[in-house]
Short mmCIF file of all heavy atoms in Angstrom, two decimals:
data_model
loop_
_atom_site.label_atom_id
_atom_site.label_comp_id
_atom_site.label_asym_id
_atom_site.label_seq_id
_atom_site.Cartn_x
_atom_site.Cartn_y
_atom_site.Cartn_z
N GLY B 1089 -4.33 5.05 -3.15
CA GLY B 1089 -4.83 5.17 -1.77
C GLY B 1089 -5.55 3.93 -1.45
O GLY B 1089 -5.40 3.39 -0.32
N GLY B 1090 -6.44 3.45 -2.27
CA GLY B 1090 -7.10 2.18 -2.02
C GLY B 1090 -6.21 1.01 -1.79
O GLY B 1090 -6.41 0.12 -0.96
N LEU B 1091 -5.16 0.92 -2.68
CA LEU B 1091 -4.23 -0.19 -2.57
C LEU B 1091 -3.47 -0.10 -1.21
O LEU B 1091 -3.23 -1.16 -0.58
CB LEU B 1091 -3.20 -0.19 -3.75
CG LEU B 1091 -3.59 -0.82 -5.00
CD1 LEU B 1091 -2.58 -0.85 -6.01
CD2 LEU B 1091 -4.02 -2.25 -4.70
N MET B 1092 -3.13 1.10 -0.77
CA MET B 1092 -2.40 1.26 0.44
C MET B 1092 -3.30 0.91 1.66
O MET B 1092 -2.92 0.29 2.62
CB MET B 1092 -1.82 2.64 0.62
CG MET B 1092 -0.53 2.89 -0.10
SD MET B 1092 0.76 1.77 0.51
CE MET B 1092 0.80 0.49 -0.65
N GLY B 1093 -4.58 1.36 1.59
CA GLY B 1093 -5.52 0.95 2.62
C GLY B 1093 -5.68 -0.52 2.71
O GLY B 1093 -5.68 -1.14 3.80
N ALA B 1094 -5.72 -1.20 1.55
CA ALA B 1094 -5.79 -2.64 1.54
C ALA B 1094 -4.62 -3.28 2.11
O ALA B 1094 -4.69 -4.27 2.72
CB ALA B 1094 -6.09 -3.16 0.15
N GLY B 1095 -3.39 -2.64 1.85
CA GLY B 1095 -2.15 -3.15 2.37
C GLY B 1095 -2.12 -3.06 3.85
O GLY B 1095 -1.68 -4.02 4.57
N ALA B 1096 -2.70 -2.00 4.40
CA ALA B 1096 -2.79 -1.87 5.91
C ALA B 1096 -3.65 -3.03 6.51
O ALA B 1096 -3.27 -3.64 7.53
CB ALA B 1096 -3.27 -0.54 6.31
N ILE B 1097 -4.80 -3.25 5.86
CA ILE B 1097 -5.67 -4.24 6.38
C ILE B 1097 -5.05 -5.72 6.24
O ILE B 1097 -5.21 -6.53 7.12
CB ILE B 1097 -7.00 -4.18 5.71
CG1 ILE B 1097 -7.64 -2.76 5.98
CG2 ILE B 1097 -8.02 -5.24 6.26
CD1 ILE B 1097 -8.90 -2.50 5.17
N VAL B 1098 -4.34 -5.87 5.14
CA VAL B 1098 -3.64 -7.14 4.97
C VAL B 1098 -2.59 -7.36 6.02
O VAL B 1098 -2.40 -8.43 6.47
CB VAL B 1098 -2.99 -7.26 3.47
CG1 VAL B 1098 -2.03 -8.26 3.40
CG2 VAL B 1098 -4.08 -7.46 2.51
N LEU B 1099 -1.90 -6.26 6.38
CA LEU B 1099 -0.93 -6.39 7.43
C LEU B 1099 -1.58 -6.79 8.74
O LEU B 1099 -1.07 -7.61 9.48
CB LEU B 1099 -0.16 -5.04 7.58
CG LEU B 1099 1.06 -5.07 8.48
CD1 LEU B 1099 2.02 -6.09 8.08
CD2 LEU B 1099 1.71 -3.74 8.54
N LEU B 1100 -2.79 -6.26 9.01
CA LEU B 1100 -3.46 -6.64 10.24
C LEU B 1100 -3.84 -8.09 10.15
O LEU B 1100 -3.71 -8.83 11.12
CB LEU B 1100 -4.78 -5.78 10.36
CG LEU B 1100 -4.63 -4.35 10.96
CD1 LEU B 1100 -5.91 -3.66 10.93
CD2 LEU B 1100 -4.13 -4.55 12.39
N TYR B 1101 -4.29 -8.57 9.00
CA TYR B 1101 -4.67 -9.97 8.84
C TYR B 1101 -3.40 -10.88 9.01
O TYR B 1101 -3.54 -11.90 9.62
CB TYR B 1101 -5.34 -10.18 7.48
CG TYR B 1101 -6.82 -9.99 7.52
CD1 TYR B 1101 -7.39 -8.88 6.84
CD2 TYR B 1101 -7.68 -10.87 8.12
CE1 TYR B 1101 -8.70 -8.67 6.82
CE2 TYR B 1101 -9.06 -10.68 8.19
CZ TYR B 1101 -9.52 -9.59 7.51
OH TYR B 1101 -10.92 -9.28 7.49
N LEU B 1102 -2.31 -10.42 8.47
CA LEU B 1102 -1.05 -11.17 8.60
C LEU B 1102 -0.66 -11.33 10.09
O LEU B 1102 -0.26 -12.39 10.53
CB LEU B 1102 0.04 -10.49 7.87
CG LEU B 1102 0.11 -10.72 6.41
CD1 LEU B 1102 1.25 -9.91 5.78
CD2 LEU B 1102 0.42 -12.24 6.09
N ALA B 1103 -0.88 -10.20 10.86
CA ALA B 1103 -0.43 -10.35 12.28
C ALA B 1103 -1.32 -11.03 13.18
O ALA B 1103 -0.94 -11.71 14.10
CB ALA B 1103 -0.14 -8.91 12.72
N TYR B 1104 -2.63 -10.85 12.97
CA TYR B 1104 -3.57 -11.33 13.95
C TYR B 1104 -4.45 -12.56 13.47
O TYR B 1104 -5.18 -13.14 14.27
CB TYR B 1104 -4.55 -10.24 14.35
CG TYR B 1104 -3.88 -9.15 15.19
CD1 TYR B 1104 -3.37 -8.06 14.65
CD2 TYR B 1104 -3.73 -9.38 16.56
CE1 TYR B 1104 -2.76 -7.09 15.45
CE2 TYR B 1104 -3.11 -8.48 17.36
CZ TYR B 1104 -2.63 -7.33 16.84
OH TYR B 1104 -2.05 -6.41 17.65
N GLY B 1105 -4.50 -12.83 12.17
CA GLY B 1105 -5.29 -13.94 11.70
C GLY B 1105 -6.72 -13.48 11.33
O GLY B 1105 -7.12 -12.32 11.53
N ILE B 1106 -7.51 -14.33 10.72
CA ILE B 1106 -8.80 -13.94 10.20
C ILE B 1106 -9.83 -13.67 11.25
O ILE B 1106 -10.52 -12.65 11.27
CB ILE B 1106 -9.34 -14.98 9.24
CG1 ILE B 1106 -8.54 -14.95 7.97
CG2 ILE B 1106 -10.74 -14.81 9.03
CD1 ILE B 1106 -9.10 -15.94 6.96
N GLY B 1107 -9.93 -14.51 12.32
CA GLY B 1107 -10.91 -14.37 13.31
C GLY B 1107 -10.95 -13.08 14.14
O GLY B 1107 -11.95 -12.39 14.10
N PRO B 1108 -9.86 -12.71 14.75
CA PRO B 1108 -9.85 -11.46 15.46
C PRO B 1108 -10.16 -10.21 14.59
O PRO B 1108 -10.90 -9.33 15.06
CB PRO B 1108 -8.48 -11.41 16.07
CG PRO B 1108 -8.05 -12.82 16.17
CD PRO B 1108 -8.54 -13.46 15.01
N ILE B 1109 -9.60 -10.18 13.36
CA ILE B 1109 -9.72 -8.94 12.59
C ILE B 1109 -11.17 -8.91 12.04
O ILE B 1109 -11.72 -7.88 11.89
CB ILE B 1109 -8.66 -8.96 11.45
CG1 ILE B 1109 -7.29 -8.86 12.06
CG2 ILE B 1109 -8.93 -7.74 10.54
CD1 ILE B 1109 -7.11 -7.68 12.97
N ASN B 1110 -11.73 -10.04 11.79
CA ASN B 1110 -13.19 -10.01 11.37
C ASN B 1110 -14.02 -9.55 12.50
O ASN B 1110 -15.13 -8.96 12.19
CB ASN B 1110 -13.60 -11.47 11.01
CG ASN B 1110 -13.32 -11.75 9.49
OD1 ASN B 1110 -12.98 -10.86 8.77
ND2 ASN B 1110 -13.35 -13.01 9.19
N ARG B 1111 -13.60 -9.74 13.70
CA ARG B 1111 -14.36 -9.20 14.79
C ARG B 1111 -14.24 -7.70 14.95
O ARG B 1111 -15.05 -6.94 15.39
CB ARG B 1111 -14.07 -9.91 16.16
CG ARG B 1111 -14.78 -11.25 16.28
CD ARG B 1111 -14.73 -11.77 17.70
NE ARG B 1111 -13.38 -12.18 18.02
CZ ARG B 1111 -12.89 -13.34 17.74
NH1 ARG B 1111 -13.51 -14.23 17.12
NH2 ARG B 1111 -11.57 -13.58 18.12
N VAL B 1112 -12.94 -7.26 14.67
CA VAL B 1112 -12.58 -5.84 14.77
C VAL B 1112 -13.26 -5.01 13.74
O VAL B 1112 -13.81 -4.01 13.86
CB VAL B 1112 -11.07 -5.63 14.95
CG1 VAL B 1112 -10.75 -4.23 14.92
CG2 VAL B 1112 -10.60 -6.23 16.25
N ILE B 1113 -13.04 -5.51 12.40
CA ILE B 1113 -13.49 -4.83 11.26
C ILE B 1113 -14.60 -5.71 10.63
O ILE B 1113 -14.35 -6.45 9.74
CB ILE B 1113 -12.35 -4.52 10.22
CG1 ILE B 1113 -11.13 -4.04 10.98
CG2 ILE B 1113 -12.82 -3.59 9.18
CD1 ILE B 1113 -10.00 -3.93 10.01
N PRO B 1114 -15.82 -5.61 11.19
CA PRO B 1114 -16.90 -6.46 10.60
C PRO B 1114 -17.42 -5.88 9.36
O PRO B 1114 -18.59 -5.43 9.27
CB PRO B 1114 -17.98 -6.49 11.71
CG PRO B 1114 -17.78 -5.29 12.45
CD PRO B 1114 -16.31 -4.79 12.26
N VAL B 1115 -16.67 -5.91 8.27
CA VAL B 1115 -17.03 -5.30 7.02
C VAL B 1115 -17.01 -6.42 5.93
O VAL B 1115 -16.12 -7.21 5.80
CB VAL B 1115 -16.03 -4.25 6.65
CG1 VAL B 1115 -16.41 -3.69 5.25
CG2 VAL B 1115 -16.16 -3.08 7.60
N ASN B 1116 -18.16 -6.50 5.14
CA ASN B 1116 -18.16 -7.31 4.01
C ASN B 1116 -17.57 -6.60 2.82
O ASN B 1116 -18.24 -5.57 2.38
CB ASN B 1116 -19.55 -7.89 3.70
CG ASN B 1116 -19.62 -8.89 2.67
OD1 ASN B 1116 -18.57 -9.24 2.12
ND2 ASN B 1116 -20.79 -9.43 2.30
N TYR B 1117 -16.43 -6.99 2.27
CA TYR B 1117 -15.77 -6.15 1.33
C TYR B 1117 -16.47 -6.18 -0.08
O TYR B 1117 -16.20 -5.34 -0.88
CB TYR B 1117 -14.27 -6.62 1.17
CG TYR B 1117 -13.51 -6.21 2.44
CD1 TYR B 1117 -13.22 -7.13 3.40
CD2 TYR B 1117 -13.12 -4.91 2.64
CE1 TYR B 1117 -12.63 -6.70 4.57
CE2 TYR B 1117 -12.49 -4.47 3.74
CZ TYR B 1117 -12.23 -5.41 4.70
OH TYR B 1117 -11.57 -5.09 5.84
#
Side-chain angles (χ1 to χ4, degrees):
Chain B
L1091 275 182
M1092 277 298 100
I1097 300 173
V1098 164
L1099 188 58
L1100 278 176
Y1101 273 107
L1102 279 175
Y1104 288 97
I1106 284 185
I1109 298 301
N1110 275 346
R1111 282 193 290 277
V1112 172
I1113 315 174
V1115 173
N1116 187 359
Y1117 290 100

